[in-house]
Amino acid sequence: MTKKTLIPILGDQLSRDISSLSDQEPDNCVLLMMEVDAETTYVKHHKAKIAYILSAMRHHAAALQERGWTVDYVKLDAPDNAGSFSGEIARALERHDIGAIRITEAGEWRVMAMIENWQDQYDLPVTICPDQRFVATHQDFDNWAEGKKQLRMEFFYREMRRKTGLLLDEDGKPEGGKWNYDAENRKPAKTDLTMPQPIRFQPDAVTQEVLDLVAKRFSDHPGSLDHFHFAVTHEEALRQRRQFLDHALAQFGDYQDAMLTGEPFLWHSILSPYLNSGLLDPLDLCQEVADLYAADKVPLNAAEGFIRQIIGWREYVRGIYWREGPDYAYRNFLKAKRPLPDFYYTGDTDMLCLSEAIGQTLDLAYAHHIQRLMITGNFALIAGIDPHAVHLWYLEVYTDAYEWVELPNTLGMSQFGDGGIIASKPYASSGNYINKMSDHCGDCRYDVKQRTGKDACPFNALYWDFLARNEDALKDNNRLAMPYRTWNKMEPDLQNDLRDSAAAFLERL
Ligand code: FAD
Ligand code: DLZ
Ligand code: SF4
């Protein structure tokens, strides 16, 4: 009998056409799916994130079996579960007569290092297939980046538009004459607008079993399972995609940066968990968005704004992750050292913007981009929290968080830990920005207009203190010339008051 090929399918490789399966005959392969402790606990993932991944894995295994594949599925509570991918590969080699291993490259340095050992460890040929679910290959990104002084997303994004042909006219020019309609993505929202809601999927028996397992086994992990609402199959993810395209996309452009108390989703797609784990295909989604624009169903600022997030930002951060290497996780350009405040795990703070963003994160394992960047991220940045600790928090608490996408967004874009590879200036702001883009401040116990004193919005003093504290590192950044001019023109008494207010606040943290 000919030996079979063992094809491990990891928890974020749930795409039907994953590259490890292409050109393979079901009769010659054993697919291996593994729920293992090493993955569920390498950080303390939010309970709902674990439940989503395990349930989506179990449903995907059933779908693969229906399509004729043999799937060897190891549950987390299986007796003798070895607890790691490598340990489970070893056990699978005892159960099956295997001649070779084939796997799609993993999305993290940590797991790639494991896979690269397998050939020696098991004395079998191991084929690592490129992950074809992205527009840019690693080589494409490196070719683009090579020799450039600055790796700005905008220019990479234009390459991706050219490569995919998305939103280009017949002459290869951008639709509407401009590449980027970012300036038309910044309307604050009002509470009286009717908001579309994402579909709340009811747990089936498979999901319920996983929810019970997670509740029991991960009771010390952050977050709640009470509001679990995720799609866990390809069909359900497609229903949420339809819901977004039909009811939210048209206004996504206008309100992309808006925040409202009690409205966690606004006009966002809530599709990132499905895009990142493989239930949805990013390019196919972008093509439908471009088609809706071509059919006059959605405005250009919405279509372009959405497509930019996916073939621009999403592809760009992946390129940076693999180009910069595993040490990127430890960069700390501003030498920030403060530990993460406890309220990131409880939401228990009287700063309303933070309690809203963190509260919904703990309930739903979801927050939208501006909450992540300008509320929780901004606060950590201006309070001088250690960027590695901030990175671990984001990796834990969001269902869409895998290191390739989370780390560059957090450590690079949000915390300026890489010294400006991703962001041309730190995303630091006072309460003014939050007041402009949300309705939080009106109901907050702090006064966003006051800069010092016990009732002043803490973001205000922290913002100026951040600039003053990091003047040596940041003063030559052209994009900060204006705030530094303002700071240097301030009366010394006011400067001292701001710095004292910030110090007193940080002391209380
Ligand atoms: P929408 O607003 O509807 O956007 C559509 C899609 O665009 C998203 O589903 C996502 O796939 C993509 N997208 C948008 N912005 C980005 C971005 N900056 N980078 C990569 N993809 C993007 N996104 C993740 O997928 N995983 C993460 O772990 C993650 N961590 C983040 C950490 C920080 C500090 C910040 C500032 C952003 C992070 N993002 C992350 C990006 C972004 O916040 C989420 O993709 C988005 O909020 C997901 O919600 P949505 O599907 O409703 O997105
Ligand atoms: C995130 C995660 C979790 C919580 N659990 C598992 C698991 O039990 N089995 C699995 O195959 N994958 C899991 N994952 C996703 C993996 O961590 C992810 O596939 C790797 O990090 C590679 O990106
Ligand atoms: Fe946040 Fe300050 Fe506004 Fe309160 S006043 S919601 S702390 S920005």
Side-chain angles (χ1 to χ4, degrees), residues 268-272 276 306 309 366 369 372 400-401 406 409:
H268 291 274
S269 68
I270 335 295
L271 293 178
S272 49
N276 295 350
F306 189 78
Q309 305 312 316
Y366 176 80
H369 186 69
R372 299 188 203 195
D400 57 26
E406 176 279 324
N409 267 302

Side-chain angles (χ1 to χ4, degrees), residues 78-324:
D80 305 327
N81 185 318
S84 69
F85 287 149
S86 296
E88 277 305 319
I89 300 279
R91 287 206 319 132
L93 294 178
E94 288 167 11
R95 287 194 295 273
H96 307 281
D97 192 14
I98 299 296
I101 299 177
R102 188 179 157 87
I103 185 166
T104 294
E105 63 180 313
E108 295 187 15
W109 285 106
R110 181 181 64 82
V111 182
M112 274 313 282
M114 261 183 246
I115 295 174
E116 278 160 3
N117 265 333
W118 288 349
Q119 185 136 330
D120 289 343
Q121 206 170 339
Y122 308 122
D123 198 19
L124 281 175
V126 175
T127 305
I128 304 176
C129 312
D131 193 337
Q132 287 165 339
R133 298 173 295 174
F134 294 90
V135 177
T137 63
H138 300 309
Q139 193 60 53
D140 286 342
F141 190 84
D142 284 345
N143 290 346
W144 171 77
E146 212 42 57
K148 289 196 172 50
K149 263 208 193 126
Q150 290 191 319
L151 302 181
R152 291 290 162 250
M153 192 288 294
E154 176 60 24
F155 299 106
F156 173 75
Y157 165 54
R158 293 180 193 180
E159 290 294 305
M160 296 299 97
R161 290 273 292 279
R162 290 191 190 98
K163 184 166 177 185
T164 57
L166 286 165
L167 296 180
L168 297 187
D169 65 19
E170 298 106 56
D171 303 324
K173 299 262 166 37
E175 286 290 351
K178 283 199 302 184
W179 289 101
N180 185 319
Y181 290 84
D182 194 23
E184 293 170 39
N185 295 147
R186 296 177 192 154
K187 265 198 196 170
K190 296 202 187 73
T191 31
D192 58 1
L193 292 167
T194 319
M195 243 101 14
Q197 294 298 319
I199 303 173
R200 294 194 59 84
F201 295 93
Q202 289 308 312
D204 64 6
V206 174
T207 302
Q208 196 52 58
E209 187 182 312
V210 169
L211 290 171
D212 295 342
L213 172 80
V214 172
K216 218 161 76 199
R217 200 166 167 126
F218 303 103
S219 57
D220 62 335
H221 282 223
S224 161
L225 289 172
D226 295 346
H227 312 269
F228 189 87
H229 65 284
F230 292 109
V232 290
T233 64
H234 291 84
E235 291 71 23
E236 287 179 346
L238 283 170
R239 279 179 58 208
Q240 176 53 28
R241 169 177 146 157
R242 190 74 270 137
Q243 170 81 359
F244 167 68
L245 294 174
D246 291 349
H247 302 293
L249 173 61
Q251 285 180 292
F252 172 87
D254 284 351
Y255 299 117
Q256 205 173 318
D257 289 2
M259 293 169 283
L260 287 178
T261 301
E263 291 291 348
F265 305 115
L266 299 167
W267 289 269
H268 291 274
S269 68
I270 335 295
L271 293 178
S272 49
Y274 318 131
L275 294 167
N276 295 350
S277 63
L279 298 191
L280 292 180
D281 180 66
L283 198 52
D284 185 59
L285 170 62
C286 289
Q287 188 57 60
E288 184 165 4
V289 171
D291 293 346
L292 288 170
Y293 166 70
D296 245 352
K297 298 264 175 49
V298 298
L300 186 53
N301 73 329
E304 189 282 321
F306 189 78
I307 287 173
R308 181 181 351 115
Q309 305 312 316
I310 295 191
I311 65 166
W313 280 110
R314 187 170 182 272
E315 294 279 336
Y316 167 81
V317 295
R318 176 177 185 254
I320 296 285
Y321 177 76
W322 289 109
R323 188 175 165 80
E324 290 302 315

